[in-house]
Amino acid sequence: MTRPKGTLIRNSTGTRLNHWLTAACFVLLVLSGLSMFHPLLFWMSALFGGGQWTRAIHPWIGLVLAVSYAAMIVQFLRDNLWSKDDIAWARTIDKVLANEEEGVPEVARFNAGQKMVFWSMTLLIPVLLVTGIFVWDYYFESLTSIETQRYALLIHSLAAIAAIIIWITHVYAAIWVRGSMRAMTQGYVTPGWAWRHHRKWFRSLAATGSLTNCSKPLHRP
């Protein structure tokens, strides 16, 4: 797909495919996991062919998610390193939520909120993977005790709840900030969007000559 003239590449095709594969796996894991979490939610197992199929496919989807997210870590690690600017940005979160620009520090490719999502998932997904392996009866039942499995299942459930809350926050923020979804669906943003929401990133692109083809005015998102 050819991006409109004057726009900026935010995410490459490979990055977007990686992101949506991770997102799809996460949604499938949430649905299959919730169906096994409580009898009232068991009806969700019909989406996977029944209880037995749900129990069988859930851990395999988890493995795909772990590999897919590992690829995202490789791509986004450098841009998610914490800096003092992130602390300053977090202190002005009230202005950010009110869409006020005055007094809000300039943001690089990702703001502090996005970095918190990244690092939270970077912590939670390995926890979910390890605890999930402990309760994967088909392959590892004989290697773990019942008590270990109970503790692993408790930790797995708590980590899953935390991950779901973070995912909901991530989706809400992406929808709330107009233009963010397009960055991950079509890969591009306007110069105005970059200037308003990620001004330091915009300046870095300008410094490297990546704005040569941009002709749209900066004040228009």
Side-chain angles (χ1 to χ4, degrees):
M1 176 179 177
T2 303
R3 64 186 173 93
K5 183 179 180 180
T7 56
L8 305 173
I9 296 177
R10 176 73 171 169
N11 295 296
S12 66
T13 301
T15 296
R16 301 199 308 275
L17 290 174
N18 190 178
H19 171 272
W20 290 114
L21 173 61
T22 304
C25 288
F26 187 84
V27 171
L28 291 175
L29 285 169
V30 169
L31 294 175
S32 58
L34 288 176
S35 73
M36 296 184 287
F37 183 75
H38 194 278
L40 289 176
L41 301 174
F42 182 73
W43 60 271
M44 293 184 182
S45 65
L47 298 172
F48 304 91
Q52 291 186 342
W53 275 108
T54 301
R55 188 177 180 85
I57 198 173
H58 182 83
W60 288 106
I61 299 175
L63 291 179
V64 176
L65 172 70
V67 173
S68 181
Y69 195 78
M72 292 187 66
I73 292 176
V74 172
Q75 296 178 76
F76 294 129
L77 179 61
R78 183 176 179 180
D79 290 318
N80 278 282
L81 296 178
W82 202 260
S83 70
K84 61 181 182 180
D85 293 335
D86 296 314
I87 298 176
W89 185 90
R91 289 174 177 171
T92 62
I93 189 64
D94 56 330
K95 294 183 178 180
V96 174
L97 295 176
N99 283 321
E100 297 179 11
E101 298 183 33
E102 186 68 28
V104 178
E106 294 187 359
V107 175
R109 186 176 183 188
F110 299 116
N111 60 43
Q114 292 170 312
K115 290 181 179 182
M116 289 177 65
V117 170
F118 174 85
W119 288 111
S120 296
M121 286 300 194
T122 299
L123 171 65
L124 289 171
I125 288 178
V127 171
L128 289 166
L129 176 64
V130 173
T131 55
I133 289 176
F134 282 161
V135 296
W136 196 351
D137 291 345
Y138 189 82
Y139 291 104
F140 304 102
E141 182 179 14
S142 61
L143 302 179
T144 55
S145 65
I146 295 297
E147 184 177 7
T148 299
Q149 291 182 19
R150 287 173 178 171
Y151 280 116
L153 188 57
L154 175 61
I155 297 173
H156 190 84
S157 299
L158 293 175
I161 292 172
I164 291 172
I165 293 173
I166 292 169
W167 176 76
I168 292 174
T169 304
H170 173 63
V171 173
Y172 176 80
I175 296 173
W176 181 66
V177 180
R178 189 178 64 174
S180 296
M181 287 294 292
R182 181 174 56 199
M184 194 52 77
T185 56
Q186 301 180 56
Y188 69 87
V189 295
T190 65
W193 184 94
W195 177 258
R196 180 176 183 181
H197 300 293
H198 297 271
R199 192 165 301 180
K200 185 176 290 187
W201 175 64
F202 181 90
R203 294 185 190 279
S204 69
L205 293 179
T208 58
S210 300
L211 303 182
T212 305
N213 297 323
C214 292
S215 57
K216 294 186 178 182
L218 302 183
H219 67 278
R220 298 177 60 185

